[in-house]
Amino acid sequence: MEMGFENDLRRAADIIGDAESVTIVSHIDADGISTEAILAQALAREQKPVESVFVRQLEPMAMRHVPKDSSLKLFADLGAGQQSLLEEHGLCADEVLILDHHVGQPSGTAYPQVNSLDYGITRMSAAGIAYLVAKALDSTNIDLAKLAVIGNVGDMMARENCGLVGPAREIVQDGVEYGNILVRGRDLNCYGTSTRPLHVCLGYCDDPYIDGISNNTNAALRFLERLGVELKNPRGGWLVWEELPFEDRRTIISALAQQLIAHGRETDRLLAETYIFPDEPERTPLRNASEYATLLNACGRWAKPRIGSSICHGERGEAYRDAEQMLAHHRTVIRDLLQYILDTGVTELSHLQYVHTGNRFPDTIVGIGAGMALSKLNWKKPMMVLAAMVDEPEVTKVSMRTNEWVLGRGVDLCEALIEASAEVGGAGGGHRIAAGAFIPHDTEEEFVDGVNRILKRQFASADPDDS
Ligand code: C5P
Ligand code: C5P
Ligand code: C5P
């Protein structure tokens, strides 16, 4: 690991070590929740009093949840992009520590911080940084690597073909050594490999779209039966993918690849590296990083981040049952959201495509819809979703998503949204590949045109022929 990064981690651990008490302010998504759970557990092990606050976004309204007391305010998975807000709120450099991976927007106050982007590390979530700080605090904290992997996977930090890379990969290795993470390379890249009967898992998988299997669980079942692999356990229950023997997994993957090729489709989305948690109960969403992250997202995006956090602390029982219900609901709503976007259709401008979902879906999930819709629409154009904020009708939430191909052509969504939202009196931030903003409701049209203009400039800066 780079020296500067290690020094920053060490300094952060020292600041935490010196604090009398700590208030963690974190984000409500899977990365924010796992980040909070890592920090809260590491602090409890140091016998430090700790309180946690979860916010949907660090904006002026949310600042009233930050207590005005003598505790160290530990901003995690947020803060880097809102340093002027911290300053306006009267927070001094000696009472703040920021652990973040979002694009920074510095203010006049030099807040101590660890930001992976400062070291050119782009594939690292806040949970990864929190974990490295926890490990610097006490090397026995390596059991928490599992939570960092959940945060990294939840924030889509894995590369399509080789999984987590760089320092995030070293974290995986800590978990493997500790014994609570198992890595499976070139595994099936479908949701539900630990929870759904195999034919249901495949039938629900539509990215990649597998002709004759996607959206048809009966056909998926017939496909599997023809391969002659055992689909049920000795008690007659359906097996899930994770339980199949290696040989059967290989047979199925090669048949699926052939099916894709036969229909002229790419096979690269079929496989991914997966992270299995052998210490969790079988056939539950806690069994692998992707399903665990979705469970946490379901809790947070539906306003119950504390339930997600208690699950990360190892609580099961009632918290877990609540989370399972939220997960089922979450998956239904994001499926409806995707369908709504595809049915409504997007408006294409020269350099972006957008859709307005009105007040049909909560602003906390429209970004997920933007990401999911992208692979089914024109993936060469960044995708924007606008949504009404139910509790603040004068504000519109904006979410944008794009892909590596577009980034390679000069696009930076975070920069575009910061600039375009400032022009209309709003505020935005995030990552180059995924960003969001809040804007005044009556500036939507002007804003969308502004983003299109900025994207045009970005595309043109990398390729002067593109205009
Ligand atoms: O703020 P925030 O970090 O929550 O944004 C996370 C979002 O960014 C996720 O929805 C994830 O899909 C997206 N993202 C991504 N690829 C990255 C980094 C983030 O798609 N490399
Ligand atoms: O917000 P972001 O774009 O990062 O969305 C990533 C999250 O979206 C995943 O962690 C998961 O909760 C959810 N998701 C899902 N099913 C999909 C795609 C995304 O549940 N097919
Ligand atoms: O809300 P959404 O998932 O679209 O957010 C994508 C990214 O943009 C996240 O990293 C989020 O923290 C960031 N964002 C932001 N300011 C906003 C809205 C979102 O920095 N007003």
Side-chain angles (χ1 to χ4, degrees):
M1 222 179 300
E2 199 192 311
M3 271 308 286
F5 187 41
E6 261 189 66
N7 288 341
D8 274 3
L9 292 168
R10 182 71 261 155
R11 185 175 65 139
D14 290 343
I15 293 173
I16 292 174
D18 290 342
E20 288 289 323
S21 64
V22 179
T23 304
I24 301 169
V25 184
S26 190
H27 189 208
I28 55 160
D29 71 354
D31 187 30
I33 295 171
S34 45
T35 297
E36 184 273 346
I38 290 168
L39 295 170
Q41 289 183 84
L43 285 161
R45 290 171 188 178
E46 302 285 312
Q47 323 287 328
K48 291 238 188 257
V50 54
E51 294 285 339
S52 297
V53 175
F54 285 100
V55 299
R56 170 166 82 167
Q57 198 66 48
L58 199 58
E59 32 92 22
M61 291 283 277
M63 288 305 288
R64 68 198 148 115
H65 300 297
V66 179
K68 291 202 185 280
D69 61 13
S70 61
S71 65
L72 172 71
K73 314 297 178 300
L74 185 40
F75 292 93
D77 194 26
L78 37 76
Q82 297 87 12
Q83 294 175 54
S84 18
L85 189 61
L86 305 188
E87 198 177 57
E88 280 161 30
H89 199 66
L91 287 165
C92 305
D94 60 3
E95 55 177 329
V96 166
L97 174 62
I98 299 172
L99 305 180
D100 203 353
H101 67 140
H102 290 98
V103 175
Q105 299 183 52
S107 68
T109 309
Y111 292 112
Q113 53 192 287
V114 186
N115 190 330
S116 39
L117 293 182
D118 291 345
Y119 298 98
I121 306 165
T122 51
R123 293 193 173 266
M124 171 68 99
S125 71
I129 300 169
Y131 166 75
L132 293 172
V133 171
K135 190 176 161 190
L137 207 54
D138 187 333
S139 59
T140 65
N141 282 329
I142 64 164
D143 59 312
L144 302 175
K146 176 174 143 187
L147 293 174
V149 170
I150 295 166
N152 270 319
V153 168
D155 250 7
M156 307 209 175
M157 292 299 159
R159 290 188 82 97
E160 235 168 50
N161 41 12
C162 54
L164 295 170
V165 292
R169 174 124 223 127
E170 293 170 27
I171 299 176
V172 172
Q173 216 41 50
D174 281 354
V176 170
E177 275 162 33
Y178 180 79
N180 58 3
I181 300 180
L182 255 170
V183 180
R184 273 192 187 168
R186 302 178 60 75
D187 202 15
L188 181 66
N189 181 27
C190 284
Y191 182 86
T193 50
S194 294
T195 50
R196 291 177 167 169
L198 185 51
H199 60 291
V200 178
C201 177
L202 288 178
Y204 272 79
C205 169
D206 61 0
D207 187 16
Y209 187 90
I210 312 170
D211 299 77
I213 293 176
S214 292
N215 302 328
N216 190 341
T217 50
N218 288 331
L221 182 56
R222 287 193 298 275
F223 178 87
L224 292 165
E225 281 169 350
R226 278 199 298 278
L227 296 178
V229 295
E230 192 54 66
L231 296 173
K232 291 191 175 176
N233 63 29
R235 297 179 305 283
W238 294 109
L239 291 170
V240 298
W241 172 261
E242 191 207 313
E243 297 170 321
L244 298 188
F246 175 76
E247 281 305 321
D248 288 355
R249 282 185 272 135
R250 207 168 55 176
T251 303
I252 295 167
I253 283 185
S254 105
L256 291 171
Q258 283 172 26
Q259 182 81 355
L260 285 167
I261 292 164
H263 288 85
R265 294 189 187 269
E266 305 272 342
T267 56
D268 47 352
R269 297 268 310 138
L270 181 63
L271 301 178
E273 182 166 280
T274 61
Y275 307 99
I276 295 175
F277 304 140
D279 59 336
E280 297 290 354
E282 287 174 5
R283 305 171 72 94
T284 70
L286 305 172
R287 246 333 243 205
N288 70 62
S290 159
E291 292 188 59
Y292 202 133
T294 307
L295 183 85
L296 297 184
N297 265 323
C299 295
R301 306 267 184 193
W302 297 94
K304 296 274 191 313
R306 281 176 202 284
I307 291 188
S309 171
S310 51
I311 288 170
C312 294
H313 279 76
E315 235 182 81
R316 298 297 177 253
E318 199 182 332
Y320 180 67
R321 283 190 295 279
D322 286 351
E324 265 195 320
Q325 279 183 8
M326 284 187 276
L327 176 59
H329 177 66
H330 178 65
R331 295 205 61 85
T332 308
V333 178
I334 57 178
R335 203 166 47 237
D336 291 350
L337 167 61
L338 175 62
Q339 203 53 51
Y340 177 82
I341 295 174
L342 299 177
D343 289 348
T344 310
V346 290
T347 304
E348 279 206 39
L349 300 185
S350 60
H351 292 80
L352 67 82
Q353 51 194 329
Y354 72 94
V355 65
H356 202 310
T357 58
N359 60 5
R360 291 171 189 83
F361 300 94
D363 66 280
T364 49
I365 65 157
V366 290
I368 298 176
M372 290 167 77
L374 196 58
S375 61
K376 305 196 181 299
L377 297 165
N378 178 357
W379 50 268
K380 294 188 172 178
K381 273 187 191 175
M383 169 78 191
M384 177 192 288
V385 178
L386 299 114
M389 301 269 290
V390 179
D391 47 357
E392 283 174 85
E394 68 287 0
V395 177
T396 295
K397 164 71 190 292
V398 179
S399 277
M400 288 198 78
R401 297 288 188 275
T402 189
N403 54 33
E404 296 282 349
W405 186 87
V406 170
L407 294 192
R409 269 144 195 82
V411 163
D412 180 338
L413 296 182
C414 178
E415 183 194 77
L417 289 195
I418 290 174
E419 185 178 335
S421 61
E423 284 171 4
V424 298
H431 314 273
R432 290 175 67 209
I433 202 164
F438 295 120
I439 56 163
H441 154 77
D442 54 5
T443 65
E444 285 173 1
E445 220 169 300
E446 179 191 348
F447 172 79
V448 174
D449 284 341
V451 176
N452 191 49
R453 188 191 71 240
I454 297 163
L455 290 174
K456 179 177 176 177
R457 187 184 76 209
Q458 293 180 345
F459 273 110
S461 67
D463 177 6
D465 292 337
D466 182 275
S467 54

